[in-house]
Amino acid sequence: MEFRTLGRTGVKVSPLCLGTMMFGAWGTPDHDESIRIIHRALDAGINFVDTADVYSSGESEEIVGKALAQTTREKIVLATKVHGAMGRDPNAQGNSRRWIMSACEKSLRRLGTDYIDLYQIHRPSPDTDIDETLGALTDLVRSGKIRYFGSSTFPADDIVEAQWVAERRGRERFVTEQPPYSMLVRGIEADVLPRCQQFKMGVLSWSPLAGGWLSGAFGQGKDNTSRRSAMVPAHYDMTLPGNVEKLSAVTALHELAEGASLSMIELALGFVLEHPAVTSPIIGPRTMEHLESQLPALEVRLSGDVLDRIDEIVPPGTNLNAADVGWVPAAIADSSLRRRPR
């Protein structure tokens, strides 16, 4: 396996990162089976594992910790995230120093380790000064509890601001970004990915299969639904024009994959792996079968003709469904911010 360098850190990571959101109550409740999936990924050469405190309310981190206890911890590049609400306490969430310091200690205990390789801010927090966040993360680096830190689903302007603040305030800086990216969700090609290249940030992109849309389970004549439909209905509701467009694109992409003698999964992962800004797409298997269907992508290299055809089906920089972007700025989500007080 040809390992890739994570941004400018010098750390070598596998081209695929194992995501563990589906381990625990949100996906596979059987801890032993989840651990077997993790070990199979490690045996296949994957050395990059990503989780988050909010996944199944900490259960995913606990499962990862159990799996790591059965292997050589130093060989694994371990990433987790902070931001999501962990209970009813209004201060047990967000990007404040108070919560980051507390959440890190809790993640370390659940993971059964004394350090985290990559600690990521899961989403922006407009009500928290970015210098507050960077200051807390810098202290965690200097105390040895984390090695590096990164952002997740940050818009391009927030990425730039964080870099500038870090330089001016003498803070450590975000070394990675974790954005949504797939053949159906390409908006970050216009701004986020170029900024990551500008600042030499590593990119571990999430949802390369577009929440299952590119798994082979969607297309003409299929059920076109997902077990996640109840959790995120806007991603799958076929009355929404964006999802109708996705179905049309998936049908064309399926024909392209067949013509190239590839599975839809291989086409989808091969597309993300091809972008020069992307270090490692995150795969999120729920079952061993899912993992085995994704591992062959490590051997895939898409031709220029195939990539050109993908661009024709879904133009570069396009998000077919705006609901798939993962985070909407308050200026868009809150109509009161666009209206003068009365």
Side-chain angles (χ1 to χ4, degrees), residues 8-306:
R8 61 195 302 175
T9 67
V11 175
K12 304 299 182 182
V13 296
S14 49
L16 294 179
C17 175
L18 178 67
T20 64
M21 187 177 76
M22 290 290 100
F23 299 157
W26 288 8
T28 303
D30 186 334
H31 286 205
D32 290 339
E33 178 62 13
S34 296
I35 291 169
R36 281 192 288 271
I37 294 170
I38 294 172
H39 287 165
R40 172 67 183 103
L42 300 181
D43 290 343
I46 292 175
N47 75 335
F48 200 6
V49 179
D50 177 77
T51 185
D53 57 1
V54 76
Y55 295 165
S56 297
S57 301
E59 188 181 3
S60 173
E61 286 187 327
E62 293 172 356
I63 292 170
V64 171
K66 292 177 183 178
L68 294 185
Q70 301 172 22
T71 187
T72 305
R73 166 67 181 92
E74 291 75 17
K75 292 184 178 181
I76 308 304
V77 180
L78 176 61
T80 191
K81 299 183 282 293
V82 60
H83 170 85
M86 294 292 287
R88 301 173 66 88
D89 181 350
N91 287 311
Q93 56 84 33
N95 302 343
S96 68
R97 167 180 286 272
R98 185 179 190 272
W99 176 237
I100 289 171
M101 293 299 194
S102 174
C104 183
E105 295 291 349
K106 292 178 171 65
S107 285
L108 287 168
R109 286 196 294 272
R110 285 189 292 264
L111 290 164
T113 185
D114 56 4
Y115 70 96
I116 294 163
D117 293 291
L118 179 63
Y119 199 44
Q120 302 158 100
I121 300 299
H122 211 155
R123 292 291 188 275
S125 180
D127 60 355
T128 307
D129 188 336
I130 189 62
D131 186 52
E132 163 99 354
T133 302
L134 293 173
L137 294 168
T138 296
D139 287 347
L140 288 173
V141 169
R142 294 175 182 172
S143 69
K145 293 181 179 181
I146 66 174
R147 299 294 187 253
Y148 307 97
F149 56 83
S151 55
S152 176
T153 321
F154 272 43
D157 57 327
D158 282 4
I159 291 172
V160 173
E161 181 188 10
Q163 295 290 322
W164 286 357
V165 169
E167 180 179 359
R168 292 172 182 175
R169 297 285 294 169
R171 310 295 194 190
E172 299 289 330
R173 66 191 190 93
F174 288 132
V175 301
T176 60
E177 162 60 14
Q178 186 179 140
Y181 186 44
S182 72
M183 293 189 291
L184 304 180
V185 184
R186 302 185 60 176
I188 63 168
E189 293 173 335
D191 46 19
V192 168
L193 292 182
R195 295 294 73 75
C196 289
Q197 289 175 301
Q198 176 186 353
F199 293 109
K200 297 180 172 59
M201 299 170 69
V203 173
L204 48 158
S205 56
W206 57 269
S207 203
L209 302 184
W213 278 85
L214 300 173
S215 67
F218 284 71
Q220 292 293 343
K222 299 186 178 181
D223 289 341
N224 298 318
T225 188
S226 167
R227 61 190 303 276
R228 305 181 195 175
S229 297
M231 184 183 298
V232 280
H235 295 279
Y236 304 99
D237 183 352
M238 293 306 298
T239 66
L240 299 178
N243 290 330
V244 174
E245 287 189 54
K246 282 160 60 176
L247 183 58
S248 176
V250 166
T251 301
L253 290 167
H254 180 73
E255 293 176 359
L256 176 62
E258 282 192 335
S261 299
L262 297 168
S263 70
M264 273 293 283
I265 290 173
E266 290 169 342
L267 182 71
L269 291 174
F271 167 80
V272 178
L273 284 163
E274 195 64 36
H275 198 292
V278 174
T279 311
S280 307
I282 300 172
I283 56 173
R286 181 173 53 85
T287 67
M288 189 70 77
E289 181 182 4
H290 290 169
L291 176 63
E292 295 294 351
S293 70
Q294 295 165 14
L295 290 176
L298 289 167
E299 308 300 326
V300 170
R301 188 72 193 271
L302 301 185
S303 69
D305 289 344
V306 169

